[in-house]
Amino acid sequence: MNRNKRVHRRTVLQAVAGTGFLLTLSPGFLLTGCDGGVRATESVTLGLDSEEYDVELDLRATPDSVPILPGAPSEVWRYRAELLKGPENTLTENTKSYLGPTIRLRRGQRVKIHIHNELPEATTVHWHGLHVPSDVDGQPRLPIQPGETMTIGFEVLDRAGLFWYHSHAHGEQGGRVGFQSYAGLAGLLIVEDDEEAGLGLPSGDNELLLVLQDRTFAGANELVYLDGGMRAMMDRMHGFLGDRILVNGVPPATRKVATRPYRIRVLNGSNARIYKLAWSDGRPVTVIGADGGLLPEPEDRPYATLAPAQRLDIWLDLSEAQPGSTLELISDSFQAGMMGGMGMMGSNALPLGSRFTLASLAVADSVEVNEQLPAQLGLQRQGIPVGSTTRIRSFELSPVMMRGFAINGRRFEGSSVAADEKARLGDTEIWEFRNNTPMPHPMHIHGLQFNIVGRRGGSSDSLQQGLVDSGWHDTVLVMPRETVQLAMKFERFAGLYIYHCHNMEHEDAGMMRYFQVQS
Ligand code: C2O
Ligand code: CU
């Protein structure tokens, strides 16, 4: 193997040094993950010499105290970052709340990140949606212990889109993704490329980034998560729902806008809440992009459904708006009753399916701009071709009495991989999720973007018309009793990856498995 690979291996080793449990394993096991190690099959850079990196960052996961609600600040865990090398606009700090800095990368950049864990427990950082080697994917099998640093490197291979990064820790006692993300360990990651830039979509002040989350607070503004008792038990089953909505880490706010088009990019960073995005005046929601970047062409929907971990890119043209008027982005009401009673049980003040405001856009300035929504958006990257000979791999989602949910009867067991969880590098497959439960599950697959081939059998409900299935995705909402087929291709990286439900409480309870891409 080349010199670069060795550099990469050493950094992984440094990161796990000092942890008794891992040290008892041979370095060979750690690095190859029982045959699941990184293997570059094309000329892909895994670990470059530092002078060859385009961007270098220090990223700290650290306790902090930030204002969220009026009154006392709240204790949080959050990411802080410092730019060591690279374009000045790489990092945008979120000074107003707990969200990590927004990281802006360009396709083709080689990025090196030193991740420092200043928390009292192990953590990892997962680059949600990015096509990166297994060893830098932030998987639970490579935890960063308290006080340790892990250095990772990757090349930005994805096309332009809105991605995000968050904790993916899962210890002996179970998952910590729900807790750590809820405590604040999440941030946006934007990939830009020439192709998207060529479309001239609204940018700068005319590009709104919205991270939707829900939180519950106690008397002195302390964050409350699964605080014991009957309610906590129900929350574990259904997923945690906060009783307040936060947008970018603070309560929903009013924002001054002008009579012009806007690009609104939304991440559902909530643990379990599903949003039904709509405009208060009933105008259609014009969706231009999803998880993996722009759609082939814009799509008008009465509303847009956004499940945990998903992103949507929305075009809003306020050219005709009256100065003085206000338009609200809302999450509209929907029926959650059929979803296993989710939201009806317990004492949540904001049950699933409630209607609330996410942002108020107050039209202040009248301006003359001539920006048109392009009729075609997705210039490159056609869909993955599938046919009658494409292998179908089927996964049944089923309930496990009192212990959450299983995938093909299995729950998370470290990095063990069953025979039917091994795929071949270079293959195209159809993955079929059959939801045999009364709850919706946002299923996420690491390391790639897939196409949604089709859905069948789901009870038609008040979220259906908002499901955006075209384009590229890394997370798909599988409705109760529904079967969804996804087309994916295992490219470039062999090794271990994860697939799981992104309802974080489901994931933490074991609705998560490793799969292996074999070269
Ligand atoms: Cu956003 Cu495996 O996660
Ligand atoms: Cu689930």
Side-chain angles (χ1 to χ4, degrees):
M1 254 306 149
N2 61 41
R3 187 165 54 113
N4 295 336
K5 175 124 187 199
R6 265 183 280 118
V7 172
H8 175 71
R9 288 190 159 188
R10 193 164 62 239
T11 55
V12 171
L13 258 190
Q14 279 163 0
V16 296
T19 66
F21 173 68
L22 288 170
L23 276 183
T24 62
L25 305 172
S26 76
F29 174 84
L30 262 179
L31 290 169
T32 60
C34 277
D35 200 24
V38 178
R39 215 158 286 152
T41 53
E42 295 173 31
S43 58
V44 169
T45 49
L46 297 175
L48 293 168
D49 288 333
S50 57
E51 58 272 11
E52 293 179 66
Y53 283 87
D54 306 296
V55 173
E56 189 171 355
L57 301 177
D58 249 333
L59 184 72
R60 296 186 291 132
T62 191
D64 200 359
S65 165
V66 299
I68 299 176
L69 302 180
S74 304
E75 303 292 320
V76 299
W77 287 358
R78 66 175 311 186
Y79 295 116
R80 302 238 75 149
E82 209 187 310
L83 183 67
L84 304 178
K85 185 187 177 193
E88 243 166 71
N89 73 346
T90 303
L91 290 180
T92 310
E93 281 291 343
N94 280 293
T95 47
K96 294 209 184 77
S97 191
Y98 54 81
L99 284 180
T102 298
I103 303 176
R104 230 171 241 276
L105 301 175
R106 280 195 83 81
R107 187 175 192 175
Q109 277 177 334
R110 290 152 303 176
V111 184
K112 182 178 190 172
I113 306 176
H114 310 278
I115 308 167
H116 308 281
N117 182 3
E118 298 174 358
L119 306 171
E121 65 181 44
T123 193
T124 77
V125 182
H126 170 51
W127 312 98
H128 183 116
L130 288 188
H131 180 49
V132 295
S134 164
D135 279 1
V136 304
D137 183 47
Q139 299 168 10
R141 72 192 167 84
L142 292 173
I144 311 170
Q145 299 300 330
E148 305 262 330
T149 295
M150 176 184 280
T151 299
I152 61 159
F154 59 82
E155 181 179 347
V156 181
L157 297 165
D158 291 273
R159 69 198 275 260
L162 178 65
F163 301 85
W164 63 304
Y165 59 103
H166 62 80
S167 146
H168 219 305
H170 198 109
E172 298 284 285
Q173 311 304 320
R176 295 296 282 167
V177 179
F179 178 88
Q180 292 191 2
S181 304
Y182 187 84
L185 291 169
L188 292 175
L189 190 155
I190 295 174
V191 174
E192 300 175 332
D193 63 16
D194 292 344
E195 183 181 50
E196 191 195 79
L199 291 172
L201 296 171
S203 62
D205 284 348
N206 306 318
E207 178 189 43
L208 275 50
L209 301 170
L210 305 178
V211 179
L212 312 183
Q213 294 173 313
D214 51 347
R215 297 288 184 267
T216 297
F217 295 86
N221 291 342
E222 302 99 337
L223 282 167
V224 175
Y225 181 68
L226 299 177
D227 59 341
M230 189 58 185
R231 162 105 179 249
M233 220 179 80
M234 299 313 300
D235 284 346
R236 266 202 196 89
M237 285 262 296
H238 298 131
F240 185 91
L241 297 172
D243 55 21
R244 301 190 63 122
I245 298 301
L246 300 181
V247 178
N248 297 339
V250 291
T254 300
R255 175 175 181 126
K256 281 206 178 105
V257 291
T259 55
R260 54 157 297 124
Y262 285 87
R263 180 182 191 184
I264 304 178
R265 310 179 75 175
V266 193
L267 159 71
N268 181 351
S270 312
N271 285 41
R273 187 177 292 276
I274 297 166
Y275 297 82
K276 181 175 180 175
L277 304 180
W279 294 113
S280 55
D281 66 354
R283 73 175 68 200
V285 178
T286 303
V287 180
I288 61 172
D291 300 342
L294 294 173
L295 305 181
E297 54 193 28
E299 291 182 17
D300 274 355
R301 299 304 184 92
Y303 57 87
T305 304
L306 192 64
Q310 291 183 322
R311 289 83 69 204
L312 281 176
D313 210 330
I314 292 165
W315 172 274
L316 172 66
D317 192 355
L318 292 175
S319 302
E320 307 291 311
Q322 284 303 318
S325 66
T326 296
L327 179 68
E328 291 185 342
L329 176 65
I330 61 167
S331 183
D332 209 350
S333 56
F334 60 92
Q335 277 174 352
M338 30 74 78
M339 298 173 190
M342 204 179 163
M344 296 199 308
M345 300 184 195
S347 54
N348 196 295
L350 199 66
L352 187 70
S354 309
R355 184 185 199 272
F356 46 82
T357 299
L358 295 165
S360 301
L361 305 177
V363 184
D365 305 323
S366 195
V367 295
E368 283 290 329
V369 287
N370 191 20
E371 288 176 25
Q372 299 292 328
L373 173 59
Q376 299 296 319
L377 299 163
L379 310 172
Q380 261 185 34
R381 207 164 177 211
Q382 305 294 313
I384 296 170
V386 290
S388 54
T389 56
T390 309
R391 174 186 179 146
I392 299 178
R393 208 179 274 273
S394 196
F395 299 93
E396 191 200 11
L397 314 178
S398 61
V400 182
M401 190 57 103
M402 297 311 286
R403 298 183 69 193
F405 300 95
I407 305 174
N408 276 349
R410 304 183 191 103
R411 298 165 70 245
F412 189 66
E413 298 161 19
S415 51
S416 72
V417 170
D420 59 5
E421 294 174 307
K422 293 179 182 172
R424 285 250 154 244
L425 190 63
D427 277 5
T428 294
E429 295 191 358
I430 290 173
W431 280 25
E432 176 177 88
F433 288 111
R434 293 185 292 122
N435 186 354
N436 194 12
T437 83
M439 282 200 58
H441 299 283
M443 299 305 294
H444 170 47
I445 301 170
H446 279 219
L448 52 79
Q449 295 286 328
F450 51 74
N451 296 141
I452 299 169
V453 178
R455 299 169 177 270
R456 60 172 193 267
S459 44
S460 99
D461 70 296
S462 57
L463 290 175
Q464 201 87 21
Q465 288 182 69
L467 298 170
V468 175
D469 283 351
S470 51
W472 296 89
H473 304 261
D474 51 58
T475 307
V476 61
L477 186 61
V478 187
M479 299 303 287
R481 311 295 165 194
E482 186 176 48
T483 294
V484 177
Q485 287 193 334
L486 316 173
M488 65 195 72
K489 185 167 185 199
F490 305 99
E491 292 178 291
R492 205 172 276 106
F493 305 121
L496 291 168
Y497 288 94
I498 317 182
Y499 64 110
H500 61 87
C501 178
H502 219 293
N503 175 317
M504 294 183 191
E505 286 67 43
H506 292 180
E507 165 183 0
D508 280 348
M511 196 180 187
M512 169 161 78
R513 296 285 305 171
Y514 271 93
F515 69 97
Q516 187 173 12
V517 181
Q518 296 177 312
S519 52

